[in-house]
Amino acid sequence: MRVPLSWLREYVELPATETGRDVQARLVSAGLEVETVEQLGAGLKGPLVVGQVRTIEELEGFKKPIRFCTVDVGTANGTGELQEIVCGARNFAVGDKVVVVLPGAVLPGGFAIAARKTYGKVSHGMICSGEELGMGDDGSHGIIVLPPEYEPGTDAIELLELVDEVLDIAVTPDRGYCLSMRGIAREMAISYGLPLRDPALLDVPAPNSYGHPAKVADPIGCDRLTLRTVTGLQPEARSPIWLQRRLQKAGMRSISLAVDITNYVMLEVGQPLHAYDRSRLEGPIGVRRAQAGEKLTTLDDVERVLDPQDLVITDDRGPIGLAGVMGGAHTEIADSVADPESGTAGGTTEVVIEAAHFDPISIARTARRHRLPSEASRRFERAVDPLAGPAAAQRTVDLLVLLAGGSAEAGVTEIIAPSAPHSIAMPADHCDRVAGVAYGRETVVRRLQQIGCDVYGQDELIVTVPSWRPDLREPNDLAEEVIRLEGYENLPSTLPTPPSGRGLTERQRLHRRVGRALAGAGYVEALNYPFVGQGVLDQLGIPAGDDRRRAVTLVNPLSDEEPALRTTLLPGLLAALRRNHGRGSVDLALFETGLVFCPTGEESVPERLPVDRRPSDEQLATLDAALPHQPRRAAVVLAGAREQAGWWGRGRPADWADAVEAARTVAREAGVELVVRADQYEPWHPGRCAALFATVDGAETLVGHAGELHPRAVKALGVPERTCAAEVDLDLIERAGDATLTAPRISTFPVATQDVALVVAGDVPSADVERALREGAGELLESLRLFDVFEGEQIGAGRKSLAYALRFRAGDRTLTVEEATAARDAAVALAAERTGAVLRGA
């Protein structure tokens, strides 16, 4: 909402010394978001005057049309002689009144004006366009042509109101009343403690039976409708300069006098209006829902197919406007056109003014359904003052009579659905308890009365909210009003004291440890939206029937391409990797921890819970039962170099083993050792995919996968070659671990190391061999590490050699060679029994 300060001063008598910056500070303190204060006419210096074109000479021999003009500027040039000016514009003629800037003046942007020779003539000044004066283009793309009543030499800076300050206010959805000068002026009057001249306080005639006929078929969609008629309008009448300038400063373009007046009143009072050419109406004006298949050509010349939920304005022929959004082209105000024979101006001479109050939700849905936002729908969907219609219509009638020479008909049509003002019961100390500040009853009552409330009662206040504040629904809303008007900056800063014995749960500690561990391993956390589409699952190569394709679909997704909640973390992480790689980051390691959503198909439909009290435990349990299973996962993706090359040696690219190690890093934070086995699982490479197992509740359970992505998935997703990834279920890992972490015991006795190389069949998992070695070695085994895998002719086709380093240590003595050897032999024997392993070279 653009708010000219000069316009605001008509409603609040601000001190002359107050600037836009001062007003900005007051409004910000009152809770409004004033984004900028624009200084119009900054650097502008006269003389800038009205001139009348006396002669025009067309100069020949140039690439573009050039005109040499003489202009009467009165005595503004000090001599009274005609001013000679060279101009290239074509939209003015001899006798027109124009805006002339004389030598010595400075235009906005520091453009100094001086006499100069151009096109073989000396130009003593310039004839100005709106853009050159910082006014913006009025649609003519040419010189400003003024009405004939202004005398040459009149100061154009004052006439065009070129020097002003405009506040640009971002109005939040709950403050719809601030989309008007009336609403902003009220906030400013409260901030300064000054009286308000309310533009809606007008004498409005009572409704009668001889106004323009109307009928409302949907009193819920339209609970108030006012119609007024003005006849005898002068079609040639133009909007005065002051009206055009106010619209320009507010960000709107001048169109025609009748339309400009409705826009002006909408900006002033906040009530959108529409003017119909009465000669184009047939029968009464009605309000109803559209019928299936009905069509309407709106003012933007687009034919729209209406939805049965659309609220429309009609006459006997059908829809003539989208209610609260945009009028129809068939009944729009006709432009003034002069008859070529008689010279008489023709156009609209009779208008019907419509001021209505529509259901905000209905208007918002219609505007979005037709992708047709407008100034009217912007206000209606934020709730318009339902009582402002008659005053806005009266203000429009008064301006049409004043500026267009019309006559107001005595008929007044008004249709009202019965309603009562909203009242709120509130303890007098409620605001004190919310803010933690002792305001007192008198302050609370005074502040509520300032915003227009009627307040009665002593210890229990009965507050009747004003019609323009539908956002005030409960005591906390009233408390917010008192607090903001008293000043948020005056609230004391008091840190809350947490109760003793409270802190993070063990689950929360684990999640934080996992994040720190991955960050310490060189991964960067990436937070992604939890939405996916079927397309990315196709790119990952996830087969039909896979549980990851069974997703929860949203009714109102942010994007039609991602309408479902994620069942895996990989799509978001891989999209972040692709995005960063495309911006030049070659070596990437990203991680994320978050929820996935896995419907079981057994979810029930929850009942609508009450909002006026706490739901019962049974109701909350029913709500929980309706939610899909939401396990927490941890995932990583890697691409590029895992170790950088440098003077210390060659680097190393990230590979599937790094993804497996990342999963192990996550599991170690819960005190869990993962068992790794080869697997085939999309989207991983079938030969470089590891299934990760942990012992959960006494049974070996799959907790995730890690490895290198399948080349088809890599190509489809557009990520770097050999991209690797891992994803594990944090909830299962938490269940597999011991909640109590114990520090490792450090022995003071030396370690005994034994290496062993075992030959097994090629399809025997190394995890099975490792498990057998651990069990066979017994309690003396401190650690076991696979350090070499060999396949070759020396050991035979279809077989492989696994070399392990076994570390033995006792906590109470130094082991002998015989003890270490016996433990190793026991480990080898059990491995041979379970996996068929034999010592290499035996």
Side-chain angles (χ1 to χ4, degrees):
M1 176 73 183
R2 289 174 55 84
V3 181
L5 186 59
S6 60
W7 194 353
L8 269 181
R9 290 181 182 274
E10 286 196 2
Y11 312 116
V12 182
E13 292 186 7
L14 286 177
T17 56
E18 288 294 290
T19 66
R21 296 293 182 187
D22 299 328
V23 174
Q24 177 189 29
R26 293 292 187 108
L27 294 180
V28 168
S29 178
L32 292 179
E33 298 179 18
V34 184
E35 295 185 333
T36 60
V37 178
E38 183 180 351
Q39 305 289 333
L40 299 184
L44 176 64
K45 177 184 175 183
L48 185 73
V49 298
V50 174
Q52 184 175 25
V53 179
R54 291 299 180 85
T55 65
I56 298 177
E57 176 187 351
E58 302 288 347
L59 302 182
E60 305 292 340
F62 300 102
K63 293 182 179 179
K64 62 179 181 178
I66 299 296
R67 311 168 98 183
F68 181 66
C69 311
T70 58
V71 185
D72 179 8
V73 294
T75 59
N77 58 5
T79 63
E81 298 179 355
L82 298 181
Q83 202 78 3
E84 296 178 340
I85 299 174
V86 176
C87 182
R90 315 291 296 175
N91 67 313
F92 64 94
V94 173
D96 283 346
K97 301 289 180 66
V98 294
V99 178
V100 179
V101 58
L102 301 177
V106 180
L107 294 182
F111 182 44
I113 303 299
R116 64 189 182 96
K117 187 173 183 180
T118 179
Y119 297 103
K121 300 285 186 179
V122 177
S123 181
H124 298 273
M126 187 170 70
I127 301 176
C128 298
S129 68
E131 291 180 320
E132 290 165 338
L133 297 178
M135 297 167 55
D137 182 49
D138 60 358
S140 65
H141 303 287
I143 294 302
I144 299 173
V145 179
L146 299 172
E149 61 265 22
Y150 298 106
E151 293 296 325
T154 302
D155 184 3
I157 295 179
E158 182 177 351
L159 174 66
L160 299 177
E161 302 177 11
L162 295 178
V163 179
D164 201 352
E165 295 179 280
V166 178
L167 286 73
D168 193 352
I169 302 176
V171 179
T172 53
D174 61 325
R175 306 286 286 277
Y177 68 97
C178 287
L179 288 172
S180 66
M181 300 301 299
R182 179 194 187 199
I184 299 297
R186 178 176 286 106
E187 292 296 318
M188 191 168 70
I190 296 173
S191 298
Y192 279 91
L194 296 172
L196 168 71
R197 189 185 70 81
D198 190 343
L201 291 180
L202 301 174
D203 291 331
V204 178
N208 49 57
S209 59
Y210 41 92
H212 192 91
K215 55 183 178 181
V216 176
D218 189 343
I220 296 178
C222 176
D223 57 1
R224 287 177 178 266
L225 175 65
T226 300
L227 301 179
R228 298 290 300 276
T229 303
V230 180
T231 60
L233 300 179
Q234 300 172 3
E236 71 278 6
R238 297 175 54 187
S239 298
I241 290 177
W242 65 265
L243 179 57
Q244 295 184 42
R245 287 296 292 142
R246 288 193 171 179
L247 291 176
Q248 286 177 341
K249 292 176 186 179
M252 303 185 75
R253 186 168 61 89
S254 176
I255 298 174
S256 65
L257 178 57
V259 176
D260 289 352
I261 288 174
T262 59
N263 287 335
Y264 178 84
V265 175
M266 177 185 68
L267 292 173
E268 183 179 51
V269 181
Q271 168 69 53
L273 304 107
H274 193 75
Y276 299 94
D277 187 332
R278 188 164 78 163
S279 65
R280 299 184 177 186
L281 293 173
E282 293 185 9
I285 289 179
V287 183
R288 61 169 171 83
R289 298 288 174 175
Q291 299 174 4
E294 279 190 312
K295 296 181 180 180
L296 170 68
T297 300
T298 46
L299 288 173
D300 55 357
D301 292 326
V302 176
E303 185 179 69
R304 304 180 185 277
V305 179
L306 303 179
D307 186 273
Q309 293 300 315
D310 291 335
L311 200 64
V312 293
I313 309 297
T314 65
D315 65 3
D316 286 347
R317 291 165 300 180
I320 60 174
L322 269 177
V325 180
M326 185 174 287
H330 181 71
T331 56
E332 71 174 317
I333 303 298
D335 294 332
S336 175
V337 179
D339 185 274
E341 297 181 359
S342 64
T344 304
T348 299
T349 59
E350 298 181 351
V351 297
V352 176
I353 305 300
E354 168 236 305
H357 183 260
F358 301 113
D359 174 53
I361 296 177
S362 177
I363 301 305
R365 288 176 175 171
T366 297
R368 284 157 179 74
R369 186 180 297 118
H370 294 280
R371 292 180 172 86
L372 190 61
S374 65
E375 290 291 337
S377 66
R378 184 185 176 205
R379 285 163 174 80
F380 276 124
E381 65 188 29
R382 286 166 172 78
V384 169
D385 181 0
L387 303 185
Q394 181 64 45
R395 177 72 166 141
T396 304
V397 169
D398 292 343
L399 289 173
L400 284 172
V401 171
L402 175 67
L403 302 177
S407 299
E409 286 195 351
V412 177
T413 302
E414 193 166 321
I415 299 177
I416 301 175
S419 62
H422 179 62
S423 295
I424 303 171
M426 179 183 73
D429 63 345
H430 180 73
C431 301
D432 299 1
R433 290 187 284 110
V434 171
V437 176
Y439 292 127
R441 180 187 177 281
E442 291 185 2
T443 299
V444 171
V445 171
R446 175 171 57 85
R447 288 303 190 183
L448 293 179
Q449 288 175 340
Q450 284 180 332
I451 64 174
C453 295
D454 291 329
V455 186
Y456 303 96
Q458 292 298 321
D459 296 337
E460 184 80 9
L461 300 180
I462 304 300
V463 182
T464 301
V465 301
S467 58
W468 58 84
R469 292 301 304 271
D471 58 305
L472 303 180
R473 307 302 303 172
E474 59 181 37
N476 284 341
D477 297 329
L478 301 178
E480 181 184 1
E481 291 298 299
V482 173
I483 293 169
R484 76 174 180 88
L485 294 178
E486 284 294 306
Y488 291 118
E489 67 277 8
N490 296 323
L491 292 176
S493 299
T494 306
L495 292 176
T497 303
S500 59
R502 299 290 180 88
L504 298 178
T505 64
E506 186 57 37
R507 178 187 178 89
Q508 292 169 327
R509 291 193 183 97
L510 172 62
H511 296 164
R512 292 196 178 189
R513 289 201 307 270
V514 166
R516 286 195 294 265
L518 289 174
Y523 292 85
V524 176
E525 186 172 16
L527 301 177
N528 301 293
Y529 286 115
F531 309 119
V532 296
Q534 290 297 321
V536 72
L537 300 181
D538 295 337
Q539 293 172 333
L540 289 172
I542 296 176
D546 191 290
D547 287 342
R548 288 170 291 176
R549 283 193 177 272
R550 187 192 302 166
V552 177
T553 303
L554 302 176
V555 175
N556 55 341
L558 292 179
S559 169
D560 293 337
E561 296 179 357
E562 295 179 331
L565 293 174
R566 65 189 178 191
T567 54
T568 169
L569 299 181
L570 293 183
L573 274 177
L574 291 171
L577 184 139
R578 179 179 63 247
R579 198 162 47 245
N580 283 276
H581 186 269
R583 286 162 175 74
S585 298
V586 179
D587 305 320
L588 294 162
L590 308 177
F591 84 92
E592 181 178 11
T593 62
L595 300 179
V596 297
F597 306 87
C598 306
T600 63
E602 300 177 358
E603 292 83 6
S604 59
V605 178
E607 63 174 303
R608 187 179 296 274
L609 299 184
V611 296
D612 57 345
R613 61 186 181 278
R614 182 187 184 279
S616 66
D617 293 340
E618 292 76 13
Q619 289 174 320
L620 292 176
T622 302
L623 182 62
D624 289 338
L627 299 177
H629 181 47
Q630 301 177 43
R632 182 172 290 273
R633 302 273 181 87
V636 302
V637 293
L638 305 97
R642 185 63 179 142
E643 295 178 3
Q644 295 289 340
W647 58 265
W648 52 84
R650 298 175 61 184
R652 180 179 66 81
D655 60 17
W656 64 269
D658 294 301
V660 174
E661 182 58 28
R664 283 179 166 145
T665 299
V666 172
R668 278 195 291 268
E669 292 302 315
V672 175
E673 286 294 331
L674 296 180
V675 176
V676 181
R677 293 193 177 93
D679 196 8
Q680 294 186 16
Y681 189 68
E682 294 79 7
W684 283 274
H685 191 297
R688 302 186 183 116
C689 174
L692 310 173
F693 295 87
T695 301
V696 180
D697 299 331
E700 188 174 82
T701 304
L702 178 68
V703 297
H705 287 85
E708 181 182 316
L709 295 184
H710 197 291
R712 284 197 302 268
V714 167
K715 182 178 180 180
L717 291 166
V719 295
E721 294 182 0
R722 309 300 293 270
T723 295
C724 300
E727 184 172 16
V728 295
D729 191 316
L730 271 180
D731 291 346
L732 290 177
I733 288 177
E734 180 187 6
R735 288 170 54 191
D738 186 356
T740 304
L741 293 179
T742 57
R745 181 178 179 183
I746 301 176
S747 174
T748 59
F749 295 95
V751 66
T753 303
Q754 296 273 358
D755 292 344
V756 60
L758 301 176
V759 179
V760 296
D763 59 351
V764 174
S766 61
D768 292 349
V769 178
E770 180 178 331
R771 180 182 298 173
L773 290 174
R774 286 186 181 277
E775 292 184 17
E779 296 180 353
L780 294 179
L781 181 66
E782 182 179 79
S783 67
L784 174 69
R785 180 173 61 89
L786 174 66
F787 66 86
D788 184 57
V789 179
F790 175 75
E791 295 178 353
E793 295 179 357
Q794 296 91 328
I795 57 175
R799 300 180 67 79
K800 61 183 177 183
S801 171
L802 305 176
Y804 291 92
L806 290 79
R807 291 167 57 91
F808 299 97
R809 195 195 310 258
D812 56 350
R813 67 187 187 280
T814 299
L815 291 178
T816 64
V817 175
E818 290 77 12
E819 288 176 312
T821 301
R824 183 202 67 180
D825 292 344
V828 172
L830 188 58
E833 177 185 342
R834 291 187 178 179
T835 65
V838 297
L839 282 172
R840 185 175 175 181

